[in-house]
Amino acid sequence: MEYVIDVESVEAVAREHSDNKHIIRRDNLKMGLVSVRPHEHLPVHTHDHEEQLYYVLEGEGKIHMGDQEFALSPGKAVLIPPGIAHGVSNPNAVPLRYIDLFINWKR
């Protein structure tokens, strides 16, 4: 197991709407760096057993949680409880980058 990780050297995995770096992948803990491409959005979805936390590093956008919408900008953190429907949109011309942390309480 690595104790110090050079995130810049982690290869990004291209997804349909974003580029993701998987920094830590363990059974009960996942940490990644998500970069939502300009003018894209991550579809609304849920995680049944995982609590999720975002910490915004760069760019601006919105997160849709249930029937609410919240602005995202650098320095903002978002806690997403298990089972809450959520999706992210980036209506801007620059990427929206955030740390994405998952904790699985069921394991």
Side-chain angles (χ1 to χ4, degrees), residues 21 23-26 28-34 47 50-55 78-81 86 98-105:
K21 290 188 176 193
I23 300 167
I24 297 170
R25 304 298 270 184
R26 292 163 62 189
N28 63 340
L29 175 67
K30 297 175 190 168
M31 180 179 173
L33 176 61
V34 175
H47 306 279
E50 294 174 310
E51 193 164 28
Q52 193 171 12
L53 176 71
Y54 294 166
Y55 180 74
V78 179
L79 177 64
I80 306 164
H86 60 284
Y98 55 90
I99 297 292
D100 188 13
L101 183 67
F102 286 93
I103 300 172
N104 188 327
W105 297 109

Side-chain angles (χ1 to χ4, degrees), residues 6-79:
D6 179 5
V7 176
E8 292 301 317
S9 70
V10 175
E11 188 172 333
V13 177
R15 302 277 188 213
E16 187 175 350
H17 308 287
S18 64
D19 299 300
N20 304 342
K21 290 188 176 193
H22 299 156
I23 300 167
I24 297 170
R25 304 298 270 184
R26 292 163 62 189
D27 287 344
N28 63 340
L29 175 67
K30 297 175 190 168
M31 180 179 173
L33 176 61
V34 175
S35 181
V36 181
R37 294 185 199 107
H39 308 292
E40 291 283 355
H41 69 278
L42 304 181
V44 174
H45 61 283
T46 61
H47 306 279
D48 291 335
H49 304 292
E50 294 174 310
E51 193 164 28
Q52 193 171 12
L53 176 71
Y54 294 166
Y55 180 74
V56 180
L57 301 170
E58 298 175 351
E60 294 183 350
K62 295 179 182 178
I63 183 163
H64 312 276
M65 293 177 57
D67 60 356
Q68 295 183 300
E69 183 176 271
F70 302 95
L72 297 176
S73 60
K76 295 237 177 131
V78 179
L79 177 64

